Amino acid sequence: TDGPRSAAREDVAVTVLVLVDAENLALGRLRLVADALSGVPEEQLHVVVAGSARSLEATDWPTQAEVVEAAGWQRADVVLAEAYEKYADREGPLVLVTGDGDFSLLASRHGGQVLVISGAPSSRLRDKAKVIDPAMVGGEPIKAWLRAVLD
């Protein structure tokens, strides 16, 4: 097992894996995402946030989030890809907080529902997942998507 987190995951029907590239979204969007996640019970989310110290410290992430400092070219991508391999329920819901086209293959191969949160998602991500830009529509559509997949 993967320790305490996997034990908690077995106790609930659905856990949403949320992978956040804090270098890929503007601070305002990141704050809207963090706010939307804060309304979900801790045991129903597994949040991994990666980015530079500056990006990570600028937002109040949910207390259960794994916040990983990953500075340098593609380092956040590597951290998030490793988190997907370690934690993903391949049929469960997945949230990608990034517009980076490098995640399009992951989105297309994922067996469950995929939500992309970004202001400028690559065309490859737009083709593979539902996309929400919280700067344009606020955080409510994110909350609604989470409620729908968790019900």
Side-chain angles (χ1 to χ4, degrees):
T1 66
D2 294 318
R5 287 196 185 273
S6 67
R9 289 174 53 152
E10 292 168 7
D11 293 341
V12 295
V14 177
T15 299
V16 179
L17 178 60
V18 181
L19 303 176
V20 181
D21 183 346
E23 296 301 306
N24 197 269
L25 265 70
L27 181 57
R29 286 182 175 94
L30 289 173
R31 287 182 175 153
L32 286 166
V33 170
D35 179 61
L37 297 176
S38 68
V40 178
E42 180 175 317
E43 65 274 4
Q44 292 184 303
L45 286 179
H46 190 113
V47 181
V48 180
V49 184
S52 68
R54 180 184 51 79
S55 297
L56 298 173
E57 293 167 1
T59 303
D60 292 326
W61 296 105
T63 56
Q64 82 276 17
E66 290 182 39
V67 179
V68 181
E69 186 174 340
W73 184 72
Q74 299 287 46
R75 285 301 310 147
D77 290 4
V78 171
V79 168
L80 297 176
E82 289 172 351
Y84 180 82
E85 289 302 316
K86 184 174 183 180
Y87 299 118
D89 170 352
R90 300 297 199 264
E91 302 302 317
L94 172 66
V95 178
L96 298 172
V97 184
T98 181
D100 189 337
D102 290 345
F103 288 94
S104 63
L105 185 60
L106 185 149
S108 67
R109 290 186 176 173
H110 187 74
Q113 295 184 57
V114 179
L115 172 64
V116 171
I117 301 173
S118 176
S122 75
S123 62
R124 295 180 297 173
L125 280 173
R126 286 191 310 268
D127 292 344
K128 305 295 181 191
K130 177 173 180 56
V131 176
I132 294 174
D133 179 356
M136 300 301 291
V137 297
E140 187 53 41
I142 299 168
K143 294 175 185 179
W145 188 90
L146 290 167
R147 282 191 302 268
V149 299
L150 289 169
D151 284 342

